[in-house]
């Protein structure tokens, strides 16, 4: 199974009710051999229209922070979401939807095989760490994640709402990811 084959499967997927409201499936983008993989929550309106994760204001902030803290642009990472189809009205994804979509994310993680995973926000962080705490408790450190390292941080949409302190937290987390990349994916 290649990422391309997996993408083809996702584009035809109707495993959960989110299939009914999507414009298109937002599978994931970036370097299929990236050392850094970013995992968000799910597509918003712009992502649903354009078919790419993090293309609205949140995406612009993410791109800026990647550039300023890691010196890279998004083409050097792989970016995916927990659910690949937009929840209506940008509501939170439901547990059944997350469960239905999880095999796609697990397969993306296996195929890309990053050295460092950065989870953006509550849903991705809780799911991949198997924890129930919120992002404010989970962030601030790195976790072992199989043979990779996982750095939880805020979702950029929360940083847009939360202002300077949240953005500063995201910056610190990205610096943590950068150090791990230097140590484990030089
Ligand atoms: Fe399939 Fe995932 Fe879309 Fe649900 S969210 S229809 S499981 S691709």
């Amino acid at each position: 199974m290649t990422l391309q084959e997996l993408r083809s499967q996702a584009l035809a997927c109707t495993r959960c009710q989110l299939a009914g409201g999507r414009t298109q499936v937002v599978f994931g983008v970036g370097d299929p051999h990236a050392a850094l993989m970013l995992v968000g929550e799910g597509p918003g309106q712009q992502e649903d229209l354009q078919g790419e994760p993090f293309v609205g204001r949140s995406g612009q902030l993410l791109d800026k922070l990647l550039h300023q803290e890691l010196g890279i642009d998004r083409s050097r990472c792989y970016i995916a979401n927990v659910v690949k189809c937009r929840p209506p009205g940008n509501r939170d994804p439901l547990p059944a939807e997350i469960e239905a979509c999880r095999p796609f994310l697990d397969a993306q993680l296996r195929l890309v095989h990053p050295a460092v995973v950065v989870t953006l926000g509550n849903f991705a962080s809780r799911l991949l760490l198997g924890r129930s705490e919120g992002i404010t408790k989970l962030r601030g450190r790195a976790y072992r994640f199989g043979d990779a390292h996982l750095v939880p941080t805020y979702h950029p949409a929360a940083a847009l709402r939360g202002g300077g302190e949240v953005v500063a937290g995201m910056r610190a987390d990205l610096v943590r990811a950068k150090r791990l990349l230097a140590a484990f994916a030089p």
Side-chain angles (χ1 to χ4, degrees):
M1 171 77 74
T2 64
L3 266 180
Q4 199 52 39
E5 288 163 346
L6 188 69
R7 182 172 183 276
S8 298
Q9 281 187 11
L11 295 194
C13 178
T14 54
R15 279 206 296 253
C16 83
Q17 61 182 348
L18 295 182
R22 71 188 178 211
T23 306
Q24 54 191 313
V25 175
V26 182
F27 175 68
V29 289
D31 178 355
H33 307 294
L36 173 64
M37 181 162 163
L38 307 173
V39 182
E41 178 181 320
Q45 185 181 29
Q46 284 307 312
E47 288 78 13
D48 174 70
L49 291 173
Q50 296 185 41
E52 182 170 333
F54 290 102
V55 290
R57 285 181 63 227
S58 297
Q60 287 166 12
L61 176 61
L62 183 63
D63 287 345
K64 184 171 107 176
L65 295 179
L66 284 173
H67 178 68
Q68 291 179 347
E69 301 304 337
L70 285 102
I72 61 173
D73 66 36
R74 64 165 57 203
S75 68
R76 301 262 311 273
C77 324
Y78 189 82
I79 311 178
N81 281 316
V82 168
V83 292
K84 314 300 188 205
C85 304
R86 183 192 181 204
N90 290 350
R91 68 159 167 75
D92 292 341
L94 302 174
E97 296 158 355
I98 293 172
E99 198 54 41
C101 211
R102 180 160 194 171
F104 288 122
L105 180 61
D106 286 343
Q108 285 170 306
L109 285 160
R110 263 197 317 277
L111 289 165
V112 176
H113 197 226
V116 177
V117 178
V118 172
T119 49
L120 301 158
N122 278 319
F123 285 90
S125 303
R126 286 176 181 153
L127 182 73
L128 295 189
L129 288 173
R131 304 269 292 255
S132 57
E133 300 100 309
I135 188 61
T136 308
K137 284 235 165 69
L138 291 174
R139 66 161 292 278
R141 52 163 290 199
Y143 299 78
R144 287 310 304 240
F145 183 67
D147 58 358
H149 292 80
L150 189 150
V151 178
T153 192
Y154 297 110
H155 192 283
L160 286 173
R161 286 192 305 270
E165 197 177 324
V166 182
V167 173
M170 268 192 94
R171 287 185 186 280
D173 295 331
L174 291 176
V175 168
R176 188 169 292 110
K178 182 181 184 178
R179 289 199 190 108
L180 288 164
L181 283 166
F184 296 103

